[in-house]
C-alpha cells in the first residue's frame, strides 16, 4: 500500500483515460532519489486490466550512457522490426519512425511506455522522447518519463526536452515526502519515534522503509547502515553474489551470476528475503539504486575490480553489441586493451544515433588508455574526438586536439592525415573568428594535398577554400574553387565532398543571382540527407535560411529555419542549432517580433557568450535590440558583438554592426566617430554586389548628412527612398516585406499624417528612442495631441526577467542563501537554484554578485 500517493495515481490514471479515448498523453514523474517514482508507476501499472500492455525501459548510472538504452529495453520486449533496426545500427530517425508507426497501430491503443531515470539518459534517448512526445497525439498511448529533478538543472539537456513537449498533452506528477502522520501509521513507535524518523529521513519513503525494515528497536544513523546491516545477515556466498550484482548498474543478467555461483538462484532468494534484490524476467537487480551504491561503495576495491572483469567477460559472450556496458566494465576492471576495443566502437554507435556528447566521452575514455597504441592509431582517435567536439560546439578543445593530431601526422610522415588536419584547423579557426589563421591553414592544406597521388583530400581542400571565399563575399572566386572540387568529386563518385562543394557553390550563386534561386544548395541538402551527412545537412539548412533572411524572403527563411532547427536539435548538433537560432532572432527582429527575437538571443548568449562565431548573429541582434528599445548597456553589447566578428573580414557580419553604430549616432544626435569606416563598408558592399547591405548603409549615411547613392542595383525600398525620394513607395515596399521599423523610418520622411503613423508604429514596437526623437520633432512643428512616450516594461526590466526572477534577484541583493530565499518565497531551494541560473544567463553574469551589479547598471528595479 502506498501512502499519500492517491492524487498522483489519479493524475496518471486520468492521463491514461484521456490517451485511450482521445489523443496520447505524456506523464512526467519527477522527484529526488527514493521518493517513490518507480513504486508509483508500478502501482498504476498493477491497476490496469492488462498489465502486459506496459513496456519498461531504463537508464543506468554508467560512466557513459547507453545510446537509446531504454528503447533497446522496450524493443527486447516487443521484438520484431524495431529490435532488428536497433541491433543492425539503423539511423536514428528511421528507428524513431518505426516506433511511431508501431504505437499508431490499433493493436497498441492503451499501451504504456515507461522511460525510467531519464536524468541519466544519453542525448539520443532525449531526442527520441522529444520526437515521440511531439507526435504522441497521433497515438492512444501513454508515455511515462521519470527523472530526479534535483539532478536536472537549467543547463541539463532534459530541460530542453521538457520545454519542447506539448503542454496540453503533458501532465506533471511530483510525489512528495511522507508526512509525520504517514510515518506514524507505518509502525508502533509513537509520535516521538515518528518525529525522529522524519528528522533522519526527511520523509523520503525509501529511506523510511529501509530504516523501519532494518530496525531492531532503535533507529540506525544512516540508510547505508541499514542496507549494510541487512547484507550482514546473509551468508558469505550470498554476500559475494550481492557484491557482484552491485557492480552492474540497472539490471544484471542471471547468466552472469550463474557462471560464478552454481547455486545462484538460491543465493538470490536469500538476498531477496532481506529485501535487497528482486528477480525479473531473467534479470536480477537491487530494489533501489541507492541500495546498490551502498553495497558497491562498501566492497573492497580489489573485489570490485575482479567482479567488473567477470562481468566484462560474461557480456562479451552474452551481449557483444552492448558496447557502452562493455566499455564501462572494461574501464572499471582496469583492462586498457578492452577499453580500446570497445570505447571507440561505442563512440561510433553513439554518433550514429545522434548522441555526440556521449561519443566525445567515449573517445576521451579510449585516449586515456592509449599508451599502448602506436602514433597512427592515436592520431585517428584524436581525429574522431576533434570531429565530435566540433559537432557539439566545443571549438577551443577541437582546435587543441586537431593540433595534437597534426603533430602526430607530421612525425609519421602521414601527408594525407596532415592535409586533413590542416583543412580542419582552417575550418575551426574560422569558427573561432580568426580568419587570418583560417586562410593560412587553408593554403597549407591545398599545398600538402596537391602533392598527393589520391586527390580526394585535395578536392575537400578546394571546397574549403571555396567556402572561405564565399563567406567573405568573393563569390566569383568561390564558384571557381567549388567547381574544381565538384569535378574531382564527381569523377571519384565522392558524395560527401560533392555535398560540401555544392553547398558553397549554391550559396555563392544565390548572391550572384539574387533574383533567382539556383538549385545547387537544395541539391546539397538532399544529398546530405540521403547519405546521413549530418554536418553537411546542418550547414545546408543554415545557408538556405541565412541567405533567405539576408534577401528578406522571410517565408522561405521560416520554412528552412523550422526544419533546420528541428534537425540539428534532434541530432545534438549544437553549433549549428545555436547559429541558426541567432538567424531566427534576426528574422524576428527585422519583422518586428522583438520579444521572440529577445527569447532566441537569450537562449544563444547563455551558451555562447564569448567571441565564437556561433554566437555572433545573436550578439549582433542583442546590440540592435538594446539600441532600439533604449535598454542600458547598448555600448557593451555592441563592443562584444564587434569583438566576435572583427577578425572575420566578412561583410555580412561587420556591416550590420556599422549600421547599428550609425543608427545610434542618429538617435542620440551625436557625431559618428568613424563615419569614414561606414562609408568604406558601404563601398565594400557595392564592390561585391551586396545590394541590401549597401542600401541600408546608404540610408544611414544620408540620415547622418553624408550624401551617398550606392551605385548599381538597389532593392525596391532603398531605391524608392535614396534615388526616387519616394517615401510613400518605400514605406509600402517595407510593409509588403513585413519590416515595420523600416516602414516607420520611411514614413518619417513624409508629411505630418505619415509621421504620425510612423510614431504609432514605433510605439507599438517598443522603439522608445526613435519614438521620442520623432515625437520631439513633431512637437517642434506644432503637432498636438501626440501619444505620451511611456517607459516600456523592457526599460524597467531590459533583461526580460520574470516577476519571480525579480523577486529572487532582490533577495540576492540582500545576500540571502538559497535556503533563505526559498523560505521567503515559499519555494524549494532547488527551484531557487534554477531561478538563479536563469538570472545569470539573462544578465550574462559570472556570479551572483556580478548579477546584482549588472542589474543595477542596467537600471533593473527588482522592487517593482
Amino acid at each position: 500500500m502506498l501512502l499519500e500517493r492517491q492524487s498522483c495515481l489519479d493524475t496518471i490514471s486520468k492521463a491514461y483515460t484521456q490517451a485511450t479515448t482521445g489523443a496520447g498523453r505524456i506523464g512526467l514523474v519527477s522527484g529526488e532519489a527514493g521518493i517513490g517514482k518507480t513504486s508509483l508507476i508500478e502501482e498504476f501499472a498493477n491497476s490496469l486490466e492488462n498489465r502486459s500492455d506496459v513496456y519498461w525501459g531504463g537508464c543506468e548510472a554508467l560512466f557513459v550512457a547507453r545510446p537509446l538504452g531504454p528503447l533497446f529495453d522496450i524493443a527486447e520486449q516487443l521484438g520484431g522490426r524495431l529490435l532488428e533496426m536497433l541491433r543492425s545500427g539503423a539511423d536514428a530517425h528511421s528507428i524513431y519512425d518505426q516506433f511511431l508507426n508501431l504505437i499508431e497501430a490499433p493493436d497498441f491503443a492503451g499501451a504504456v511506455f515507461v522511460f525510467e531515470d531519464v536524468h541519466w539518459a544519453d542525448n539520443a534517448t532525449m531526442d527520441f522522447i522529444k520526437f515521440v512526445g511531439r507526435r504522441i497525439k497521433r497515438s492512444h498511448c501513454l508515455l511515462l518519463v521519470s527523472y530526479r529533478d534535483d539532478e536536472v538543472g537549467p543547463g541539463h539537456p532534459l530541460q530542453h526536452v521538457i520545454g519542447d513537449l506539448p503542454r496540453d498533452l503533458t501532465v506533471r506528477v511530483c510525489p512528495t515526502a511522507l508526512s509525520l502522520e504517514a510515518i506514524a501509521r507505518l509502525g508502533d513507535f509513537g509520535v516521538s519515534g515518528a518525529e525522529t524518523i522524519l528528522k533522519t529521513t526527511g520523509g523520503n519513503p525509501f529511506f523510511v522503509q529501509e530504516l523501519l525494515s532494518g530496525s531492531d528497536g532503535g533507529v540506525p544513523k544512516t540508510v547505508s547502515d541499514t542496507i549494510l546491516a541487512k547484507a550482514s545477515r546473509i551468508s558469505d556466498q550470498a554476500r559475494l553474489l550481492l557484491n557482484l550484482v552491485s557492480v552492474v548498474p540497472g539490471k544484471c543478467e542471471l547468466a552472469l551470476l550463474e557462471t560464478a555461483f552454481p547455486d545462484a538462484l538460491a543465493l538470490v532468494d536469500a538476498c531477496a528475503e532481506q529485501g535487497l534484490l528482486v528477480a525479473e524476467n531473467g534479470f536480477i537487480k537491487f530494489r533501489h539504486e541507492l541500495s546498490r551504491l551502498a553495497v558497491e561503495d562498501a566492497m573492497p576495491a580489489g573485489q570490485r575490480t575482479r567482479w567488473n572483469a567477470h562481468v566484462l567477460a560474461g557480456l562479451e559472450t552474452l551481449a557483444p553489441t552492448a558496447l557502452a556496458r562493455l566499455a564501462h566494465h572494461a574501464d572499471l576492471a582496469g583492462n586498457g586493451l578492452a577499453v580500446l576495443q570497445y570505447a571507440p566502437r561505442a563512440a561510433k554507435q553513439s554518433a550514429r544515433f545522434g548522441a555526440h556528447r556521449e561519443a566525445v566521452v567515449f573517445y576521451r575514455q579510449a585516449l586515456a588508455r592509449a599508451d599502448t597504441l602506436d602514433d597512427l592509431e592515436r592520431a585517428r582517435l584524436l581525429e574522431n574526438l576533434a570531429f565530435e567536439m566540433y559537432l557539439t560546439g566545443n571549438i577551443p578543445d577541437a582546435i587543441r586536439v586537431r593540433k595534437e593530431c597534426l603533430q602526430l601526422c607530421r612525425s609519421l610522415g602521414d601527408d594525407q592525415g596532415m592535409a586533413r588536419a590542416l583543412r580542419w584547423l582552417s575550418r575551426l579557426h574560422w569558427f573561432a573568428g580568426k580568419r587570418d589563421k583560417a586562410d593560412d591553414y587553408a593554403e597549407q592544406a591545398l599545398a600538402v594535398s596537391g602533392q598527393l597521388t589520391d586527390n580526394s583530400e585535395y578536392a575537400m581542400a578546394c571546397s574549403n577554400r571555396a567556402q572561405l571565399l564565399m563567406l567573405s563575399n568573393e563569390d566569383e572566386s568561390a564558384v571557381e574553387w567549388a567547381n574544381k572540387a565538384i569535378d574531382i568529386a564527381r569523377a571519384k563518385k565522392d558524395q560527401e565532398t560533392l555535398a560540401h562543394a555544392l553547398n558553397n557553390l549554391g550559396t555563392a550563386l544565390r548572391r550572384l543571382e539574387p533574383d533567382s534561386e539556383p538549385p545547387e544548395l537544395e541539391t546539397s541538402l538532399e544529398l546530405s540527407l540521403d547519405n546521413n551527412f549530418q554536418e553537411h545537412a546542418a550547414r545546408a539548412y543554415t545557408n538556405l535560411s541565412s541567405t533567405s533572411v539576408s534577401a528578406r524572403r522571410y517565408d522561405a527563411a521560416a520554412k528552412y529555419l523550422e526544419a533546420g532547427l528541428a534537425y540539428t536539435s534532434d541530432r545534438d548538433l549544437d553549433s549549428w542549432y545555436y547559429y541558426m537560432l541567432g538567424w531566427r532572432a534576426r528574422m524576428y527582429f527585422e519583422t518586428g517580433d522583438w520579444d521572440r527575437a529577445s527569447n532566441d538571443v537569450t537562449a544563444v548568449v547563455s551558451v555562447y557568450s564569448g567571441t565564437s562565431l556561433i554566437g555572433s548573429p545573436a550578439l549582433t541582434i542583442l546590440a540592435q535590440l538594446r539600441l532600439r528599445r533604449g535598454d542600458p548597456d547598448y555600448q557593451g553589447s555592441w563592443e562584444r558583438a564587434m569583438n566576435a566578428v572583427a577578425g572575420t573580414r566578412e561583410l555580412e557580419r561587420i556591416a550590420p554592426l556599422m549600421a547599428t553604430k550609425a543608427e545610434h549616432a542618429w538617435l542620440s544626435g551625436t557625431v559618428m566617430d568613424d563615419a569614414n569606416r561606414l562609408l568604406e563598408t558601404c563601398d565594400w558592399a557595392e564592390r561585391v554586389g551586396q545590394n541590401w547591405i549597401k542600401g541600408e548603409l546608404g540610408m544611414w549615411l544620408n540620415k547622418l548628412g553624408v550624401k551617398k547613392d550606392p551605385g548599381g542595383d538597389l532593392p525596391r525600398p532603398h531605391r524608392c527612398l535614396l534615388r526616387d525620394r519616394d517615401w510613400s513607395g518605400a514605406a509600402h515596399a517595407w510593409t509588403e516585406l513585413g519590416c515595420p521599423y523600416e516602414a516607420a523610418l520611411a514614413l518619417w520622411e513624409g508629411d505630418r499624417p505619415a509621421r504620425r503613423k510612423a510614431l504609432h508604429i514605433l510605439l507599438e514596437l517598443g522603439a522608445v528612442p526613435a519614438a521620442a526623437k520623432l515625437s520631439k520633432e513633431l512637437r517642434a512643428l506644432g503637432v498636438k495631441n501626440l501619444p505620451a512616450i511611456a517607459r516600456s516594461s523592457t526599460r524597467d526590466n531590459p533583461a526580460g526577467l520574470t516577476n519571480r526572477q525579480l523577486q529572487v534577484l532582490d533577495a540576492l541583493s540582500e545576500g540571502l542563501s538559497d535556503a533563505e530565499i526559498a523560505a521567503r518565497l515559499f519555494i524549494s531551494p532547488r527551484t531557487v537554484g534554477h531561478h538563479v541560473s536563469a538570472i545569470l544567463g539573462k544578465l550574462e553574469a559570472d556570479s551572483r554578485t556580478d548579477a546584482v551589479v549588472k542589474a543595477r547598471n542596467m537600471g533593473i528595479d527588482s522592487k517593482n
Side-chain angles (χ1 to χ4, degrees):
M1 173 185 174
L2 297 182
L3 296 178
E4 300 182 333
R5 293 293 181 263
Q6 192 57 50
S7 64
C8 293
L9 286 168
D10 290 345
T11 299
I12 298 175
S13 297
K14 180 180 178 182
Y16 178 73
T17 301
Q18 291 171 328
T20 55
T21 59
R25 289 294 191 276
I26 307 159
L28 301 177
V29 184
S30 63
E32 65 185 13
I35 201 66
K37 301 181 290 295
T38 299
S39 299
L40 179 66
I41 297 172
E42 287 178 340
E43 184 80 3
F44 161 72
N46 291 332
S47 71
L48 299 178
E49 289 185 13
N50 192 349
R51 180 72 161 74
S52 63
D53 284 340
V54 183
Y55 303 92
W56 296 76
C59 305
E60 302 91 11
L62 298 170
F63 282 156
V64 192
R66 288 186 297 152
L68 294 177
L71 188 56
F72 267 97
D73 293 343
I74 289 171
E76 292 280 358
Q77 298 159 52
L78 294 170
R81 177 65 179 150
L82 179 65
L83 182 58
E84 291 175 8
M85 293 177 71
L86 283 162
R87 286 177 172 172
S88 66
D91 71 274
H93 276 259
S94 297
I95 292 168
Y96 297 177
D97 288 336
Q98 176 64 23
F99 183 84
L100 199 62
N101 291 336
L102 186 147
I103 67 171
E104 289 175 4
D107 289 349
F108 279 87
V112 179
F113 297 92
V114 182
F115 282 65
E116 283 201 284
D117 295 322
V118 177
H119 53 280
W120 285 325
D122 65 293
N123 280 278
T125 296
M126 294 192 192
D127 290 341
F128 172 80
I129 292 171
K130 181 164 59 176
F131 178 90
V132 174
R134 287 172 171 173
R135 298 160 178 81
I136 196 71
K137 65 182 178 183
R138 289 154 51 176
S139 77
H140 296 291
C141 300
L142 175 63
L143 175 65
L144 291 176
V145 178
S146 74
Y147 61 94
R148 296 181 186 174
D149 54 358
D150 54 346
E151 295 190 24
V152 180
H156 196 287
L158 184 57
Q159 287 285 14
H160 301 295
V161 174
I162 293 170
D164 281 341
L165 296 176
R167 293 186 180 182
D168 58 327
L169 302 177
T170 304
V171 297
R172 290 177 178 265
V173 181
C174 305
T176 57
L178 296 178
S179 67
L180 180 65
E181 293 75 12
I183 294 172
R185 289 172 59 190
L186 294 173
D188 184 19
F189 34 71
V191 174
S192 61
E195 288 175 343
T196 301
I197 292 172
L198 179 60
K199 183 178 180 180
T200 303
T201 65
N204 181 291
F206 173 75
F207 295 166
V208 170
Q209 188 174 9
E210 288 300 311
L211 286 178
L212 294 178
S213 64
S215 174
D216 293 319
V219 177
K221 293 181 180 179
T222 67
V223 174
S224 180
D225 289 342
T226 303
I227 295 165
L228 295 178
K230 290 181 179 181
S232 70
R233 298 174 192 144
I234 58 180
S235 69
D236 290 345
Q237 281 293 98
R239 178 60 186 267
L240 285 172
L241 178 139
L242 188 70
N243 286 351
L244 169 54
V245 177
S246 78
V247 304
V248 183
K251 300 181 295 184
C252 178
E253 291 84 348
L254 177 59
L256 286 177
L257 306 182
E258 289 175 333
T259 57
F261 301 95
D263 55 345
L265 280 176
L267 297 176
V268 168
D269 288 343
C271 294
E273 287 174 7
Q274 291 297 323
L276 291 165
L277 297 180
V278 293
E280 181 182 276
N281 300 322
F283 291 90
I284 309 301
K285 65 178 184 178
F286 276 81
R287 284 188 55 252
H288 199 282
E289 174 68 8
L290 295 173
S291 299
R292 186 189 73 79
L293 290 173
V295 173
E296 185 184 31
D297 288 345
M299 193 190 328
Q303 187 182 145
R304 187 184 304 121
T305 301
R306 289 193 298 275
W307 282 137
N308 273 289
H310 174 82
V311 174
L312 172 64
L315 288 177
E316 287 178 326
T317 301
L318 293 170
T321 60
L323 298 173
R325 293 180 67 194
L326 287 161
H328 173 85
H329 291 291
D331 197 53
L332 288 177
N335 189 334
L337 291 177
V339 170
L340 291 171
Q341 180 182 355
Y342 295 117
R345 290 170 59 196
K348 290 178 181 178
Q349 183 188 61
S350 296
R352 188 167 59 250
F353 288 142
H356 296 289
R357 288 192 186 91
E358 283 71 27
V360 168
V361 182
F362 279 124
Y363 280 126
R364 286 187 186 277
Q365 192 178 53
L367 282 161
R369 304 278 188 167
D371 52 315
T372 60
L373 295 180
D374 62 35
D375 284 349
L376 182 60
E377 292 172 311
R378 181 176 170 79
R380 295 298 171 261
L381 281 177
L382 289 168
E383 193 170 29
N384 292 335
L385 171 60
F387 182 67
E388 296 299 327
M389 287 174 164
Y390 158 72
L391 290 180
T392 53
N394 188 351
I395 303 303
D397 278 352
I399 289 174
R400 177 184 55 77
V401 173
R402 281 283 177 189
K403 285 182 176 180
E404 188 177 348
C405 179
L406 176 62
Q407 291 304 317
L408 281 176
C409 291
R410 277 202 176 114
S411 67
L412 289 165
D414 177 11
D415 291 342
Q416 190 91 21
M418 276 179 59
R420 196 162 49 247
L422 289 165
R423 171 173 56 83
W424 268 106
L425 283 167
S426 170
R427 180 71 176 142
L428 293 168
H429 279 91
W430 176 85
F431 260 104
K434 298 174 181 178
R435 179 56 187 263
D436 289 342
K437 288 190 174 183
D439 284 341
D440 181 51
Y441 280 117
E443 292 301 326
Q444 291 184 59
L446 283 167
V448 174
S449 62
Q451 303 301 313
L452 298 172
T453 304
D454 182 353
N455 59 0
S456 299
E457 187 53 46
Y458 179 69
M460 275 302 294
C462 289
S463 190
N464 179 66
R465 189 33 145 172
Q467 184 175 9
L468 290 170
L469 290 165
M470 173 268 292
L471 289 164
S472 57
N473 296 100
E474 299 171 74
D475 292 320
E476 291 180 356
S477 295
V479 168
E480 179 183 345
W481 281 97
N483 279 324
K484 283 185 182 181
I486 288 168
D487 289 343
I488 298 172
R490 283 183 170 148
K492 298 184 75 66
K493 297 182 179 174
D494 181 350
Q495 298 292 81
E496 186 168 10
T497 299
L498 182 60
H500 190 275
L502 283 171
N503 189 313
N504 302 322
L505 178 63
T507 306
L509 288 175
R510 283 183 174 232
R511 288 202 295 251
L512 290 170
E513 304 169 20
D515 295 328
S516 65
E517 294 187 5
E520 288 81 0
L521 197 45
E522 288 275 10
T523 303
S524 172
L525 176 61
E526 292 170 8
L527 195 60
S528 301
L529 293 174
D530 288 344
N531 290 278
N532 197 29
F533 299 149
Q534 295 185 10
E535 186 226 347
H536 301 318
R539 195 165 70 92
Y541 277 124
T542 298
N543 287 346
L544 284 164
S545 56
S546 63
T547 54
S548 297
V549 172
S550 295
R552 298 187 184 262
R553 294 178 176 142
Y554 300 116
D555 288 343
K559 178 186 72 172
Y560 291 129
L561 283 166
E562 181 180 7
L565 287 168
Y567 182 88
T568 53
S569 174
D570 288 347
R571 287 160 182 79
D572 212 14
L573 301 172
D574 289 1
S575 300
W576 301 105
Y577 175 81
Y578 286 106
Y579 190 72
M580 272 191 278
L581 207 59
W583 275 96
R584 190 174 73 175
R586 176 172 166 180
M587 180 184 72
Y588 286 148
F589 174 72
E590 291 179 352
T591 55
D593 196 342
W594 291 359
D595 287 341
R596 291 171 82 178
S598 180
N599 290 339
D600 281 352
V601 165
T602 298
V604 177
V605 299
S606 65
V607 179
Y608 293 101
S609 57
T611 58
S612 167
L613 282 188
I614 298 167
S616 65
L619 289 172
T620 297
I621 299 302
L622 177 62
Q624 292 174 317
L625 275 169
R626 286 184 171 172
L627 173 65
R628 290 191 179 175
R629 282 177 158 175
D631 296 341
D633 199 31
Y634 148 74
Q635 188 61 37
S637 298
W638 187 91
E639 289 172 358
R640 283 181 59 211
M642 182 57 83
N643 287 338
V645 305
T648 65
R649 305 200 314 270
E650 293 176 19
L651 176 67
E652 289 194 58
R653 302 185 192 285
I654 294 169
L657 289 166
M658 294 306 300
T660 304
K661 191 168 189 180
E663 184 177 355
H664 176 257
W666 175 72
L667 286 170
S668 60
T670 58
V671 177
M672 186 174 177
D673 56 9
D674 52 356
N676 285 338
R677 188 180 177 192
L678 180 65
L679 188 58
E680 290 169 359
T681 308
C682 186
D683 291 340
W684 180 10
E686 186 177 341
R687 284 196 307 275
V688 298
Q690 285 292 288
N691 296 340
W692 281 105
I693 292 176
K694 72 183 181 185
E696 181 180 17
L697 297 178
M699 178 192 72
W700 288 115
L701 282 164
N702 279 271
K703 284 187 175 294
L704 293 177
V706 179
K707 299 303 178 184
K708 172 69 176 177
D709 180 359
D713 293 335
L714 283 174
R716 182 185 165 205
H718 290 307
R719 185 175 65 249
C720 286
L721 200 61
L722 292 175
R723 291 183 182 160
D724 302 339
R725 304 301 173 190
D726 177 9
W727 59 264
S728 179
H732 180 71
W734 283 121
T735 301
E736 282 188 333
L737 288 168
C739 303
Y741 189 83
E742 287 77 6
L745 294 182
L747 290 168
W748 196 320
E749 303 293 326
D751 53 22
R752 291 187 184 187
R755 291 188 180 189
R756 269 188 178 274
K757 185 176 180 181
L759 181 60
H760 283 287
I761 293 172
L762 294 171
L763 288 173
E764 287 177 7
L765 286 170
V768 176
K773 180 180 176 69
L774 177 54
S775 181
K776 183 178 179 180
E777 289 182 10
L778 289 171
R779 293 184 192 281
L781 293 172
V783 178
K784 307 292 186 182
N785 300 320
L786 295 174
I789 310 298
R791 286 205 329 161
S792 69
S793 60
T794 54
R795 294 191 75 197
D796 293 332
N797 177 13
L801 300 179
T802 65
N803 288 334
R804 179 64 88 187
Q805 287 163 0
L806 287 170
Q807 293 172 333
V808 173
L809 178 64
D810 180 35
L812 291 179
S813 69
E814 298 177 27
L816 298 185
S817 67
D818 284 4
E820 291 168 329
I821 297 172
R824 172 185 288 186
L825 301 180
F826 301 101
I827 56 179
S828 71
R830 183 170 57 251
T831 301
V832 173
H834 294 172
H835 285 312
V836 170
S837 295
I839 291 167
L840 295 180
K842 289 183 177 182
L843 295 177
E844 302 163 38
D846 298 324
S847 66
R848 296 168 182 236
T849 301
D850 187 35
V852 172
V853 172
K854 284 194 171 184
R856 287 172 180 163
N857 292 339
M858 293 171 70
I860 296 175
D861 183 2
S862 60
K863 305 285 186 184
N864 282 352

